[in-house]
Amino acid sequence: VGATCEPWFFKSQPDERRDEWTDKCDFLEDRLKIVPKPAAVFAFCDIDAANVLDACANVGLAVPDEVAILGTDNNELICESVRVPLSSVNHDLETVGYEGAVLLHGLMHGARPPRRVKLIPPKAITVRQSTEVLAINHEPTRRALQFLQENYRQRIGAEEVAAACGMSRRTL
């Protein structure tokens, strides 16, 4: 409730003193500073998602707590090699290829092109750390659950959880 959605389009402004990469980084950082938090960014591809992740780090935004990031292509070399592993949409490339071949075969044998584009839905989303957000409005509860999630393999008790959250055991 109350969420908004806006597309971000980067338009390169040729300038002899600056390169396009610097302009793109500045563009992302400026947008990320002003967007209401918490926010979510859906990137066109995983490399763009990695650029958003870098921009978040440059302006001091926590991923996924302040900005959740979802990429596209599920390129494991990118998604798994960044400081916060990126969640990503998995395309159904096998079906895309098959349907493309069927269409091409038909066209080569005199069939008319289809009037509508055939959409192939993605297979799934591979969820990684960049979108693993505890959606809890009560900050102490969120911190306690996050501590438990990060330390579940350790021997911890209520005292450790309370200390990590900055509260007494009784309040916890």
Side-chain angles (χ1 to χ4, degrees):
V1 178
T4 61
C5 180
E6 68 177 68
W8 294 354
F9 296 105
F10 170 72
K11 293 182 178 130
S12 179
Q13 303 292 328
D15 185 340
E16 293 178 15
R17 294 168 290 168
R18 295 170 54 96
D19 60 73
E20 186 174 337
W21 174 248
T22 303
D23 286 344
K24 189 173 191 178
C25 292
D26 289 347
F27 170 82
L28 286 172
E29 291 169 12
D30 291 344
R31 296 299 241 167
L32 288 165
K33 286 177 193 173
I34 62 172
V35 71
K37 313 299 182 294
V41 176
F42 176 57
F44 176 76
C45 62
D46 292 330
I47 197 71
D48 287 344
N51 291 338
V52 172
L53 181 63
D54 288 343
C56 286
N58 291 344
V59 296
L61 294 173
V63 174
D65 296 329
E66 294 176 280
V67 179
I69 304 170
L70 177 64
T72 306
D73 296 333
N74 197 33
N75 183 327
E76 291 184 16
L77 289 174
I78 296 169
C79 294
E80 297 283 349
S81 66
V82 291
R83 65 180 180 81
V84 177
L86 295 166
S87 297
S88 188
V89 176
N90 302 319
H91 294 298
D92 187 354
L93 297 177
E94 185 176 312
T95 302
V96 169
Y98 178 82
E99 293 295 334
V102 168
L103 175 60
L104 179 60
H105 181 267
L107 293 172
M108 291 174 67
H109 288 88
R112 291 185 172 268
R115 291 181 183 211
R116 299 173 109 183
V117 173
K118 183 167 190 170
L119 301 176
I120 310 297
K123 277 188 174 179
I125 293 176
T126 298
V127 177
R128 296 184 183 92
Q129 189 179 347
S130 70
T131 56
E132 287 186 356
V133 178
L134 293 172
I136 298 170
N137 290 335
H138 188 253
E139 183 61 23
T141 303
R142 190 190 68 72
R143 283 195 314 260
L145 290 173
Q146 185 173 9
F147 178 81
L148 290 169
Q149 186 178 37
E150 292 170 357
N151 296 283
Y152 70 93
R153 291 186 176 115
Q154 311 298 319
R155 289 184 59 92
I156 54 175
E159 292 82 13
E160 291 83 6
V161 177
C165 298
M167 63 178 74
S168 69
R169 180 179 172 188
R170 181 181 181 123
T171 303
L172 176 67

